[in-house]
């Protein structure tokens, strides 16, 4: 019998988790042809989530849980899930029921047809502010223009991965993670299905504007060196302009002499160049910071407990 793992990273999901489990149970019992494993990763929740996981595990043998030592963020919690999943395939879902479990049978059908990465694309995006939607769309278009690999728009982490994709993902162990891009990077045979993204069942989204912004910067910085290229281009353009201006001033001085003047010009040029230089140094710094973080070779996450046993 083929084993299917459902991976759910959870951060403060005490209200949603029981609802999620109920909905998933229907799907699991409607598909007895598979052996099911529900792998819950507790990403350092501050509420009762861990206790709920323990109870579910005690009640239902299909439920496993992994407790991380603190909040590492969803991206790393997912890597932890890849490491501990035992299934022949895996479905990644959010605990808040924004990803409808009813889509799972369709994903499994495509998997049986031989597709290795069945991803769910959002037809609609659920309830969110106009500002968030605007920035999200802008981010995707910047990312698409700056990277060579294709990053799928409106596709979240909700997807089915074959064992070969899981093993590939396990090899990508960088600590600055942008998982959505990695799914594209590893390749394999992909298939798209469309769905309507619902609203959160309970609780509230743990992403605020700043955390989404830094995920966006992460996406661009970890998948492209275009910002460095842009600095080079701006530098070249400014240098050429400066050279032309230099010749102009030189000739003008030869012909008309040199009455001391031009304070505004000097100020403008100085401030402009200073701005461009600081900006470029900032961009460089972003990359160096990433090199610094990766060069420490720290483990991407630390796990505390798996199915009731402490991890040594
Ligand atoms: N999540 C997590 N660690 C975090 C933040 C979120 O494991 O630090 C989980 C969360 O429990 C949920 C999923 O990631 O299952 C998606 O989070 P959320 O619903 O807050 O994001 P949104 O749907 O707003 O993008
Ligand atoms: Mg959500």
């Amino acid at each position: 019998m083929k084993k299917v793992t459902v991976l759910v990273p959870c951060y403060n999901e005490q209200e949603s988790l029981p609802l999620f489990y109920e909905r998933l149970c229907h799907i699991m019992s409607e598909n007895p042809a598979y052996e099911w494993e529900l792998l819950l990763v507790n990403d350092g929740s501050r509420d009762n989530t861990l206790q709920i996981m323990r109870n579910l595990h005690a009640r239902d043998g299909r439920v496993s849980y992994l407790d991380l030592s603190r909040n590492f963020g969803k991206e790393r919690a997912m890597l932890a899930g890849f490491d501990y999943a035992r299934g022949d395939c895996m479905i990644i879902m959010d605990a808040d029921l924004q990803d409808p479990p009813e889509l799972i049978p369709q994903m499994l059908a495509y998997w049986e047809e031989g597709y290795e990465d069945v991803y769910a694309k959002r037809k609609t995006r659920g309830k969110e502010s106009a500002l968030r939607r605007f920035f999200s769309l802008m981010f995707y278009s910047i990312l698409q223009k700056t990277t060579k690999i294709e990053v799928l728009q409106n596709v979240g982490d909700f997807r089915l991965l074959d064992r070969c994709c899981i093993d590939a993902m396990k090899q990508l162990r960088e600590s600055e993670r942008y998982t959505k891009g990695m799914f594209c990077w590893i390749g394999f045979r992909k298939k798209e299905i469309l769905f309507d993204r619902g609203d959160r069942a309970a609780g509230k989204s743990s992403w605020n504007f700043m955390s989404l912004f830094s995920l966006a910067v992460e996406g661009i910085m970890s998948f492209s060196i275009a910002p460095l290229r842009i600095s080079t281009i701006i530098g070249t353009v400014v240098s050429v302009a400066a050279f032309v201006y230099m010749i102009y001033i030189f000739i003008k001085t030869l012909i008309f002499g040199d009455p001391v003047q031009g304070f505004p010009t000097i100020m403008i040029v100085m401030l402009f160049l200073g701005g461009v230089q600081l900006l470029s140094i900032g961009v460089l710094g972003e990359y160096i910071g990433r090199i610094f973080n990766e060069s420490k070779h720290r483990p991407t996450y630390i796990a505390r407990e798996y199915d009731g046993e402490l991890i040594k």
Side-chain angles (χ1 to χ4, degrees):
M1 210 172 3
K2 286 181 184 165
K3 187 162 189 160
V4 178
T5 302
V6 178
L7 167 65
V8 187
C10 301
Y11 177 57
N12 296 344
E13 299 284 6
Q14 62 179 8
E15 285 102 23
S16 314
L17 198 53
L19 300 174
F20 175 83
Y21 174 73
E22 287 300 316
R23 280 266 288 275
L24 191 71
C25 270
H26 288 295
I27 302 293
M28 293 196 290
S29 52
E30 281 165 15
N31 293 276
Y34 297 99
E35 193 186 336
W36 293 87
E37 176 193 37
L38 173 58
L39 177 57
L40 304 167
V41 179
N42 177 34
D43 186 17
S45 302
R46 283 166 217 279
D47 61 4
N48 250 332
T49 306
L50 179 61
Q51 201 48 50
I52 294 174
M53 289 179 182
R54 286 192 181 124
N55 294 344
L56 288 177
H57 172 66
R59 220 171 67 194
D60 185 342
R62 296 171 297 187
V63 180
S64 299
Y65 69 91
L66 179 72
D67 182 34
L68 302 186
S69 62
R70 66 169 170 88
N71 178 247
F72 282 93
K74 184 184 179 191
E75 308 289 316
R76 297 186 189 200
M78 280 194 285
L79 178 70
F82 298 150
D83 289 342
Y84 282 82
R86 286 174 303 193
D88 299 304
C89 75
M90 171 164 77
I91 297 160
I92 310 172
M93 303 186 74
D94 287 359
D96 55 10
L97 286 169
Q98 281 193 292
D99 306 330
E102 287 70 32
L103 228 57
I104 292 179
Q106 203 185 337
M107 290 178 151
L108 287 170
Y110 280 123
W111 179 52
E112 295 289 354
E113 277 178 30
Y115 291 103
E116 288 150 336
D117 178 357
V118 185
Y119 58 86
K121 185 174 170 137
R122 301 166 192 170
K123 267 191 293 190
T124 53
R125 296 178 55 94
K127 213 188 294 165
E128 63 183 353
S129 71
L131 199 67
R132 177 167 167 178
R133 183 175 316 220
F134 169 76
F135 278 112
S136 159
L137 292 180
M138 192 175 78
F139 159 70
Y140 276 120
S141 85
I142 295 179
L143 186 62
Q144 197 55 84
K145 289 199 181 89
T146 52
T147 50
K148 288 201 189 72
I149 57 158
E150 194 193 354
V151 179
L152 302 160
Q153 194 164 342
N154 273 335
V155 176
D157 299 315
F158 181 27
R159 58 177 71 222
L160 180 149
L161 296 173
D162 184 77
R163 178 41 65 185
C164 59
C165 297
I166 304 175
D167 290 338
M169 289 300 291
K170 277 162 76 168
Q171 292 175 41
L172 308 185
R173 304 205 73 89
E174 57 249 56
S175 49
E176 312 275 327
R177 305 180 69 76
Y178 183 65
T179 316
K180 281 190 248 315
M182 294 176 181
F183 291 133
C184 298
W185 188 88
I186 58 169
F188 292 105
R189 298 186 56 204
K190 298 193 186 300
K191 178 75 192 169
E192 168 179 303
I193 53 181
L194 290 171
F195 79 110
D196 287 306
R197 185 156 162 94
D199 300 328
R200 245 180 179 280
K204 64 180 201 333
S205 171
S206 38
W207 300 89
N208 56 27
F209 184 77
M210 269 327 277
S211 63
L212 280 172
F213 180 75
S214 70
L215 184 71
V217 172
E218 202 53 70
I220 292 172
M221 293 281 169
S222 62
F223 271 89
S224 121
I225 52 165
L228 293 175
R229 179 78 37 85
I230 293 170
S231 303
T232 318
I233 293 171
I234 294 179
T236 315
V237 170
V238 169
S239 307
V240 169
F243 185 73
V244 171
Y245 188 55
M246 184 186 83
I247 294 177
Y248 164 74
I249 292 197
F250 183 70
I251 293 175
K252 196 178 111 182
T253 316
L254 281 186
I255 297 175
F256 298 107
D258 181 25
V260 178
Q261 249 185 12
F263 175 71
T265 332
I266 291 182
M267 278 312 281
I268 290 170
V269 171
M270 253 180 57
L271 290 177
F272 175 70
L273 283 184
V276 170
Q277 279 173 359
L278 284 181
L279 192 77
S280 307
I281 294 176
V283 171
L284 268 182
E286 287 283 338
Y287 283 98
I288 294 178
R290 279 172 177 71
I291 298 174
F292 171 66
N293 279 341
E294 296 299 344
S295 68
K296 285 188 279 196
H297 293 299
R298 294 204 178 147
T300 316
Y301 64 88
I302 306 272
R304 213 184 131 264
E305 183 181 326
Y306 178 63
D307 282 356
E309 281 180 37
L310 287 182
I311 291 167
K312 282 169 225 85

